[in-house]
Amino acid sequence: MWERPLREYCESTTYTTIHINGMLEHYDANGFPGIDFDFHCQWPTNKQSSYTVTGTKGFSLLSCPSIGEDIKYCQNLGKKILITIATLDFLSSVDDGNRSALNIWNFFLGGTVPQNSGVSRPFSNAILDGVELFIESNDPNPQYYTALLKTLRGYMDLDSSKKYFIAGTSRCVYPDTFMGPGTGKPYTDVPGIFDYYNVAMLSTPNLCGWFVNMAGFYSTAITWNSWITSLSSPKPLYISIPASTDFVGDYITPTSLFSTIQQLIFNNSQLGGISLRDVSYDDINLPCGGIVGTEAAKIAVKYSSVIAAALQGSQPSCNILPETNWTAKMSSTTSTSVVVATHTKITFSSASRTQ
C-alpha cells in the first residue's frame, strides 16, 4: 500500500515513536545488513554505489539519504525513530550474533562504518533511536539473539550522548515461539535488555482476535501482563492491533475502541499503550469522514486519534470536535505518546496511556 514520506506522518499525526521496517537480512552478499523500504528505498534503484546489480542475493545494503533527512526532521520534532529487525536469514553462532550487533550499531545507530569497507551508512549521518526485534521467520536459533542483544546493548550503554531503545515484539500466543519466555530465548535470557514489549493481537483471530474471540483477546493481554510484572524490572506493555478491516476477526471498530481500551487499562497494570499496524492503514481510516488522499485528510481524525483520546479517558465525538482541528488540538494538549512500527513498508503505530 502506498505511503506518504516519513516526515509527513511526523507532521500530521500524534505518533511519538516510529518503527521503520526494515532490516530483513543480517548479512547480504557482502556481509552487511540487507534492508528494504519498498518504494521509499529499494533495490536496485537505491543500491550502494559499490554494489553491482547482477550477482547480489536477496536483500542488500541500500543508500537512502532521503529517509535519513526525514529521520532527522522527525527527531527535531521530538519523535523517536527505531528500525525493525525482521530478518529472514538465520544466525548460526554466537559470533554471527556479535557481528550482526556491530553492523547494526555502525550502520544505523551511533557507530561508524570502517573507511575501507567500500560502503556508507544507508541514512547518511542520521542516528536512529534504537531497534525493534520482531522475528517471524521460524529461525531455529533464538539463543544466538542473546549474544546480539547483549552486544548491541553494550555499544548503546557506552554512548552517553544518547538514550537508545530496544523493543521486543511477539505474536499473541504466550509464550512466543521465538521470543519466549523459555530457555534459550530472548525474553528469558535477557529480559532486562528490552525497554518495552509489543504483543501483536492480529493474524490469529481464533486465539486472540477481538472480534472473533474477545475473551481470548483480553485473557492473552492479562497473561503477558502477568509475565511482565513477574520480572525484576517490569517494562511497559503495548497491545498491537490492526488499523484496517482487512484484518478480519482482529479489527476493533472505532465505536468500540473506548470501552476496549478502558478494559485493557483496568486489567493490565503494565499497559503502556496501543500499537497499530500500520501507518498506511491508519492514514486512510478516517472515522469522522474525509476524502482519502486530499490535503484535508492529512490532518483529519484518524483511527489513531480515537485511540489517543481513549487512552486519556476521553470518549471522542465527531460532532463535538471538528475533524479539521481535532488532531491538532490533541497534539498540543495531551501527554499521550504514539509508537509507530510498520511491518509492511515504513511504519506501525501505537499510542501510550497517560500515567
Side-chain angles (χ1 to χ4, degrees):
M1 184 180 294
W2 181 84
E3 288 174 344
R4 292 186 276 131
L6 176 60
R7 67 171 54 211
E8 291 192 19
Y9 293 109
C10 294
E11 291 172 335
S12 63
T13 68
T14 55
Y15 308 150
T16 61
T17 303
I18 298 178
H19 299 181
I20 59 174
N21 188 51
M23 177 177 149
L24 302 180
E25 283 190 351
H26 291 284
Y27 303 109
D28 68 6
N30 295 298
F32 303 119
I35 61 177
D36 184 83
F37 300 98
D38 208 335
F39 50 83
H40 297 284
C41 185
Q42 61 188 347
W43 179 271
T45 305
N46 305 103
K47 72 179 185 69
Q48 291 269 328
S49 60
S50 61
Y51 279 38
T52 58
V53 174
T54 59
T56 301
K57 73 171 183 68
F59 299 101
S60 298
L61 188 66
L62 301 173
S63 178
C64 313
S66 63
I67 294 180
E69 290 303 310
D70 283 3
I71 289 169
K72 291 187 291 184
Y73 180 83
C74 291
Q75 289 172 330
N76 286 335
L77 293 177
K79 317 291 186 179
K80 298 284 189 286
I81 312 295
L82 282 65
I83 188 168
T84 296
I85 300 172
T87 42
L88 301 174
D89 57 344
F90 301 159
L91 295 176
S92 58
S93 66
V94 169
D95 183 61
D96 258 3
N98 289 333
R99 288 191 298 115
S100 184
L102 180 59
N103 275 345
I104 292 167
W105 176 250
N106 284 338
F107 283 96
F108 308 122
L109 303 175
T112 56
V113 176
Q115 290 185 353
N116 61 352
S117 64
V119 293
S120 59
R121 288 169 60 94
F123 308 127
S124 188
N125 62 347
I127 299 174
L128 289 163
D129 295 290
V131 302
E132 175 205 21
L133 184 63
F134 187 25
I135 306 299
E136 294 185 287
S137 63
N138 297 315
D139 189 327
N141 303 311
Q143 68 274 21
Y144 299 135
Y145 283 80
T146 297
L148 185 157
L149 291 165
K150 290 173 69 174
T151 299
L152 183 59
R153 178 58 81 184
Y155 292 135
M156 291 176 170
D157 290 345
L158 288 174
D159 185 355
S160 60
S161 67
K162 185 178 179 68
K163 164 67 177 174
Y164 294 97
F165 298 87
I166 296 178
T169 296
S170 66
R171 287 157 287 198
C172 72
V173 177
Y174 177 92
D176 183 70
T177 303
F178 183 86
M179 298 296 288
T183 303
K185 298 182 179 181
Y187 281 176
T188 292
D189 288 357
V190 285
I193 275 179
F194 295 95
D195 294 289
Y196 54 92
Y197 301 93
N198 284 312
V199 176
M201 302 288 205
L202 60 167
S203 301
T204 49
N206 60 314
L207 298 175
C208 54
W210 177 87
F211 186 79
V212 173
N213 186 356
M214 191 175 294
F217 174 87
Y218 287 118
S219 64
T220 296
I222 290 172
T223 299
W224 280 103
N225 183 81
S226 297
W227 169 70
I228 292 172
T229 57
S230 73
L231 300 175
S232 58
S233 180
K235 303 294 175 59
L237 165 67
Y238 286 83
I239 299 300
S240 175
I241 61 175
S244 170
T245 55
D246 288 354
F247 291 81
V248 178
D250 297 309
Y251 181 70
I252 304 173
T253 58
T255 54
S256 299
L257 280 171
F258 178 79
S259 59
T260 301
I261 288 172
Q262 290 303 303
Q263 187 66 40
L264 287 170
I265 292 173
F266 181 80
N267 289 341
N268 302 286
S269 59
Q270 289 304 123
L271 187 74
I274 302 298
S275 300
L276 288 179
R277 181 181 297 185
D278 57 34
V279 80
S280 57
Y281 290 120
D282 187 39
D283 203 28
I284 60 175
N285 191 341
L286 309 177
C288 294
I291 300 175
V292 173
T294 63
E295 286 299 310
K298 292 181 181 180
I299 61 170
V301 174
K302 295 179 174 60
Y303 191 73
S304 59
S305 307
V306 182
I307 290 174
L311 284 165
Q312 299 175 87
S314 299
Q315 191 159 17
S317 169
C318 296
N319 295 326
I320 296 174
L321 293 174
E323 63 179 83
T324 53
N325 67 14
W326 190 20
T327 301
K329 176 182 175 68
M330 290 178 54
S331 298
S332 62
T333 62
T334 76
S335 59
T336 302
S337 67
V338 178
V339 175
V340 182
T342 102
H343 306 139
T344 53
K345 297 187 182 81
I346 196 163
T347 25
F348 161 106
S349 96
S350 99
S352 299
R353 63 187 287 198
T354 300
Q355 302 294 328

